[in-house]
Amino acid sequence: SEFVVIGDGAGGLSISYPRNLAADDAVLSLEISEDLLSWGPVGATLVFEGETPTGDGRAMVEWRASELVTPRGFIRLNASAR
């Protein structure tokens, strides 16, 4: 699986990505930017929907935004060591 972003046509979107359940030494976090230079946490822009185990040692992590604050922006998945 991969990082997937789907727009709903009404200004909202859903984001999902796989997480290795055995990777206790890594932290995955979504970050947003308006200019690709300054990145910050998603804060209240996105709501964590949950994780669904896939049965192969991973889980799909799901986030949702019913309405974006800015009409144009960028989202990245950041991986860092715990």
Side-chain angles (χ1 to χ4, degrees):
S1 295
E2 55 193 35
F3 187 82
V4 178
V5 179
I6 300 172
D8 66 7
L13 55 87
S14 63
I15 297 170
S16 61
Y17 55 87
R19 182 177 77 83
N20 183 332
L21 298 174
D24 294 334
D25 57 344
V27 176
L28 299 178
S29 58
L30 287 176
E31 297 178 336
I32 58 174
S33 174
E34 291 184 9
D35 59 10
L36 293 174
L37 298 174
S38 301
W39 291 91
V42 295
T45 304
L46 294 170
V47 176
F48 177 69
E49 292 283 307
E51 291 187 354
T52 306
T54 60
D56 61 356
R58 299 179 305 159
M60 286 303 291
V61 181
E62 300 177 22
W63 292 78
R64 177 133 184 88
S66 58
E67 186 175 303
L68 296 178
V69 176
T70 60
R72 180 179 171 141
F74 304 92
I75 299 173
R76 73 178 178 187
L77 180 61
N78 184 39
S80 59
R82 188 177 302 270

